[in-house]
Amino acid sequence: MLKVSVDKINDLFRAIAATQKLYLPVDTNAGAQYREWSEGVTMSQALNTNRSAKDFFFPQTENLAEFKMEGKKIEVKPQVNEYEDYVVFGVRACDAASFAILDRVFLSEPVDTFYAHRREHGTIITLACNRPAETCFCTTFGVDPAVPGGDVSAWQKGEELYLEAQTEKGEKLLQAVAGALSQAESEDIEPVKAAIRVMMEKLPLAKLSLKGIEDQKMLDLFYSDKWNALSESCLGCGTCTFVCPTCQCYDVRDFDTGNGIQRFRCWDSCMYSDFTKMAHGNIRNSQMERFRQRFMHKLVYFPENNEGIYSCVGCGRCLAKCPIHMNIVKVIKTMGGTENE
Amino acid sequence: MSERIDPLIPMVGVVTDIRVDTPDVKTFRVEAPEGGKVFEHIPGQCAMLSVPGVGEGMFSITSSPTQKNYMEFSIKKCGCVTSWLHSMEVGQMITIRGPYGNGFPVDTDFKGKDMVFIAGGIGLAPLHSVINYARDKRDQYGTIDVVYGSRSMDDLVDFPEIQNVWCKEEGMNVHLTIDREQEGWDGHVGFVPNYVKELGFDASKTFIICGPPIMIKFTLAGLTEMGIAKNQVYTTMELKMKCGIGKCGRCNIGDKYVCKDGPVFRCDQIDEMTNEY
Ligand code: SF4
Ligand code: SF4
Ligand code: FES
């Protein structure tokens, strides 16, 4: 265990930024967002960023290849990126847990190399949640905000920030910036952890459980008539999918640069009407069907294929951001999720 | 840094032959620029073809893997990408990646079986590969029946090959039908599902259906009436696809991804899936 005093935290940031890019949550007009740290940049005190940390590995748009077309000939030029090492500071436990879910998609064979490279080059420093929000329910998915994962975990206790490496990558980073840190005892942060756990238990969603959904059959849930009422007001805006740290659907598109064709991928949303539209029809014509797909995927299909792991980490973003106040918690409760005693 | 080529990056293929099959179906022969096949496949698998700037589309590989020198794709004109492909001339390059999907269980479940292929319209394309594969490995499979129907005589894909090769092959029975009477046609007239019932097949055979969803539905109902178990019936699914590798989420229905768990499904498996196809 190492520590740095909060008023000297810039020494730590400076030491990290001396060798690689450092990103951390910063307050902007559009809420807290990850930004590159430079001298004078201060960290946001917001509980979490507006957009999730998935952007670091799976950016909203990225180029895949360029095509040079000449007469009947085509030349393929795969996108070559210079990947540099970088550090993300201040990732919360929920977002850190989302990486393991994204890994299951992008790192399974055949590996998505763009994602893999970004993942390899990034070192994640997480930050335990001293002030969880009413919309938080990460514990429902087995996330412990008192031990937030990542390559290095950090805890704030009074005027001190404690850091502990969780992986080899984290170990290396802490060694490299050892000059900015001093030794500390692991026991020092036990009270912080205990306090977080007490706070979590008092949150309104603390007792949310998926037991009642787990016990139902996939097809029974799918054909449930409850989806109609749940999806009735959904605008199909896709906000919930874009802010979600575990949503990973994408589109592949071409763009004429005037100098060739650029193929890129960008986020897409199963909430959009053209997501499954083909020349001769659409398998999901109504918003109910699209809405059902999003939640069935997170709560039933994904766990079915991934040893019971849900594709939700309880970050609460969709609770805070949906314009009609629909969200996964309402879905869980309506579909049979229970409040544990 | 290790150089890994991403699965989304396509290779280049050259169109070396174009055959006009019907007023809206053409068959394209594709080879690698240096000759030979761009990659190997098993019957029923698909490839992502694209014309940069127009888009990518998933197509089943129509030729049999036993065809050593090239791949073929029978493609119906029905959208942007297919219209562009239809306007190509020989020598045009396209991009290609794959193979994708599970393909037919030619080395397991189909081994030694009597097989009945039932196709409607362009639905013959995915079956073409497995039919010719079984023909080329004749000793490994039982009898082959093909029931194939289209709107009209002119809409039968691969008609010359069917007439000149399949119809003459020993151990193979071809039953053609068209929806309505037509001058010059002395074969069967009527819809495929009814024709299958008229023909009547031994319930021990293996059935492989491919065609428009409505045709699949009625044919399957007919087969069930004939006492054929759903685990002896196979079909293929067609969904919108983008990645082909189970990541973009596009072709997800229930806990399956049609691009990697399909496109071939046994009909008893389909009953356990959400009805989004
Ligand atoms: S579904 Fe909602 S609560 Fe769950 S991870 Fe996504 S945005 Fe967060
Ligand atoms: S659930 Fe809410 S955020 Fe998601 S698409 Fe519907 S209206 Fe938009
Ligand atoms: S096409 Fe992308 S998941 Fe199947």
Side-chain angles (χ1 to χ4, degrees):
Chain A
M1 187 73 58
L2 297 160
K3 67 178 179 183
V4 57
S5 88
V6 172
D7 59 16
K8 293 240 173 63
I9 198 155
N10 276 327
D11 293 347
L12 173 64
F13 292 161
R14 208 169 287 129
I16 296 172
T19 59
Q20 48 192 320
K21 285 198 164 133
L22 167 65
Y23 298 90
L24 44 70
V26 171
D27 290 319
T28 74
N29 296 338
Q33 307 274 15
Y34 285 101
R35 291 283 182 268
E36 191 181 341
W37 181 87
S38 59
E39 221 55 69
V41 170
T42 48
M43 190 169 144
S44 166
Q45 292 304 308
L47 173 66
N48 214 341
T49 48
N50 244 328
R51 292 169 52 147
S52 84
K54 75 177 171 190
D55 302 35
F56 287 105
F57 315 129
F58 178 46
Q60 189 160 3
T61 61
E62 74 180 304
N63 290 338
L64 301 175
E66 205 188 326
F67 302 97
K68 293 278 174 209
M69 322 271 286
E70 221 190 292
K72 292 179 172 176
K73 284 204 158 58
I74 299 176
E75 191 194 340
V76 184
K77 294 182 163 175
Q79 176 72 27
V80 186
N81 294 330
E82 291 291 327
Y83 295 96
E84 289 173 353
D85 288 346
Y86 62 94
V87 174
V88 187
F89 184 91
V91 175
R92 299 297 183 177
C94 51
D95 282 6
S98 80
F99 303 155
I101 292 165
L102 295 175
D103 284 354
R104 281 174 175 265
V105 176
F106 289 114
L107 298 184
S108 60
E109 282 300 325
V111 172
D112 185 296
T113 61
F114 296 96
Y115 177 92
H117 281 305
R118 290 204 170 84
R119 194 87 170 84
E120 267 165 35
H121 285 271
T123 305
I124 304 299
I125 305 180
T126 57
L127 188 55
C129 300
N130 287 18
R131 284 181 297 114
E134 294 202 334
T135 49
C136 293
F137 58 111
C138 59
T139 49
T140 298
F141 299 102
V143 177
D144 181 359
V147 187
D151 296 302
V152 175
S153 303
W155 295 263
Q156 190 172 347
K157 183 185 172 196
E159 286 312 298
E160 231 118 32
L161 187 80
Y162 288 74
L163 297 123
E164 186 172 58
Q166 307 289 350
T167 65
E168 232 170 85
K169 215 196 258 179
E171 200 87 58
K172 245 175 81 187
L173 175 70
L174 290 188
Q175 270 163 19
V177 297
L181 302 167
S182 56
Q183 288 298 327
E185 293 306 321
S186 296
E187 297 94 88
D188 289 358
I189 56 152
E190 286 310 320
V192 180
K193 289 186 188 171
I196 293 173
R197 288 180 183 136
V198 168
M199 264 185 288
M200 289 311 291
E201 271 177 42
K202 289 195 187 129
L203 290 178
L205 299 175
K207 305 246 182 311
L208 187 70
S209 153
L210 279 96
K211 187 79 181 72
I213 290 182
E214 265 167 26
D215 292 345
Q216 296 176 58
K217 291 208 175 70
M218 176 174 90
L219 290 184
D220 291 343
L221 287 162
F222 179 83
Y223 291 116
S224 165
D225 53 15
K226 294 178 182 143
W227 292 112
N228 287 316
L230 279 170
S231 63
E232 213 175 353
S233 316
C234 173
L235 307 167
C237 67
T239 301
C240 52
T241 53
F242 283 3
V243 297
C244 178
T246 66
C247 271
Q248 101 308 307
C249 287
Y250 63 77
D251 195 2
V252 175
R253 288 171 171 266
D254 288 355
F255 165 74
D256 191 343
T257 61
N259 190 20
I261 302 294
Q262 184 69 61
R263 181 162 293 170
F264 63 100
R265 93 156 131 211
C266 53
W267 294 352
D268 205 343
S269 171
C270 59
M271 286 294 203
Y272 290 160
S273 58
D274 61 355
F275 188 67
T276 47
K277 194 162 149 209
M278 293 190 286
H280 53 274
N282 193 345
I283 59 159
R284 293 187 197 107
N285 279 303
S286 68
Q287 193 56 32
M288 183 283 276
E289 293 166 296
R290 302 189 273 271
F291 182 96
R292 176 175 62 187
Q293 167 65 15
R294 176 164 194 266
F295 295 103
M296 283 294 284
H297 180 260
K298 290 192 173 302
L299 302 175
V300 185
Y301 308 154
F302 192 87
E304 188 74 35
N305 286 322
N306 292 281
E307 294 111 46
I309 296 169
Y310 295 98
S311 177
C312 172
V313 292
C315 73
R317 284 189 180 85
C318 62
L319 280 72
K321 303 279 190 286
C322 172
I324 59 151
H325 306 291
M326 180 36 69
N327 57 62
I328 197 161
V329 170
K330 287 186 188 169
V331 172
I332 292 171
K333 287 185 176 167
T334 307
M335 297 312 292
T338 43
E339 309 260 345
N340 269 349
E341 284 318 307
Chain B
M1 188 180 65
S2 61
E3 259 316 313
R4 288 176 293 202
I5 273 288
D6 193 86
L8 293 176
I9 309 293
M11 288 172 283
V12 169
V14 187
V15 177
T16 55
D17 185 52
I18 300 173
R19 193 177 72 223
V20 180
D21 281 299
T22 76
D24 57 4
V25 177
K26 285 184 181 180
T27 297
F28 303 93
R29 181 171 295 180
V30 178
E31 293 175 48
E34 60 281 6
K37 285 194 267 193
V38 184
F39 47 75
E40 297 295 330
H41 73 284
I42 58 174
Q45 281 189 309
C46 303
M48 194 63 113
L49 303 184
S50 105
V51 188
V54 184
E56 280 191 310
M58 191 70 96
F59 299 96
S60 67
I61 305 168
T62 322
S63 54
S64 161
T66 47
Q67 172 49 256
K68 289 276 168 277
N69 305 314
Y70 54 79
M71 283 192 268
E72 280 189 341
F73 298 87
S74 296
I75 296 172
K76 182 171 171 166
K77 189 173 170 178
C78 65
C80 274
V81 177
T82 55
S83 296
W84 205 97
L85 294 172
H86 269 246
S87 72
M88 286 189 305
E89 290 168 18
V90 167
Q92 176 68 50
M93 283 184 171
I94 55 171
T95 72
I96 176 166
R97 55 188 177 92
Y100 296 126
N102 55 356
F104 288 102
V106 284
D107 292 323
T108 51
D109 300 4
F110 285 5
K111 269 280 168 73
K113 295 281 167 57
D114 291 341
M115 295 186 285
V116 182
F117 296 95
I118 305 169
I122 188 67
L124 187 67
L127 300 190
H128 195 272
S129 172
V130 58
I131 292 171
N132 276 345
Y133 184 83
R135 282 184 48 238
D136 286 338
K137 299 186 178 245
R138 206 61 204 86
D139 53 329
Q140 299 183 18
Y141 304 94
T143 59
I144 300 175
D145 280 273
V146 178
V147 186
Y148 179 39
S150 249
R151 267 179 317 190
S152 75
M153 223 168 104
D154 313 311
D155 290 298
L156 290 166
V157 180
D158 296 319
F159 196 42
E161 184 182 8
I162 295 174
Q163 264 192 323
N164 302 329
V165 186
W166 292 3
C167 285
K168 293 185 179 147
E169 185 133 329
E170 218 178 298
M172 184 161 174
N173 285 305
V174 182
H175 320 270
L176 298 177
T177 182
I178 59 174
D179 290 358
R180 268 177 292 279
E181 299 275 2
Q182 193 181 355
E183 223 180 280
W185 178 261
D186 56 4
H188 187 273
V189 175
F191 296 118
V192 170
N194 297 336
Y195 194 26
V196 170
K197 278 201 269 182
E198 280 170 40
L199 287 163
F201 289 100
D202 193 298
S204 67
K205 296 187 188 235
T206 297
F207 296 80
I208 302 110
I209 320 175
C210 196
I214 190 85
M215 179 226 126
I216 296 180
K217 198 175 142 207
F218 284 113
T219 306
L220 187 59
L223 292 178
T224 311
E225 257 174 58
M226 287 159 68
I228 290 145
K230 283 197 173 166
N231 62 9
Q232 279 163 251
V233 186
Y234 295 78
T235 188
T236 68
M237 267 187 205
E238 201 187 334
L239 255 71
K240 185 165 176 178
M241 295 186 187
K242 280 285 174 179
C243 69
I245 50 177
K247 301 193 197 289
C248 77
R250 194 75 44 160
C251 71
N252 173 234
I253 53 174
D255 56 348
K256 300 280 187 287
Y257 288 88
V258 175
C259 68
K260 79 178 171 98
D261 303 315
V264 177
F265 291 100
R266 242 179 28 219
C267 289
D268 58 321
Q269 297 173 319
I270 293 181
D271 279 351
E272 288 160 25
M273 284 160 74
T274 59
N275 68 345
E276 298 174 291
Y277 42 83

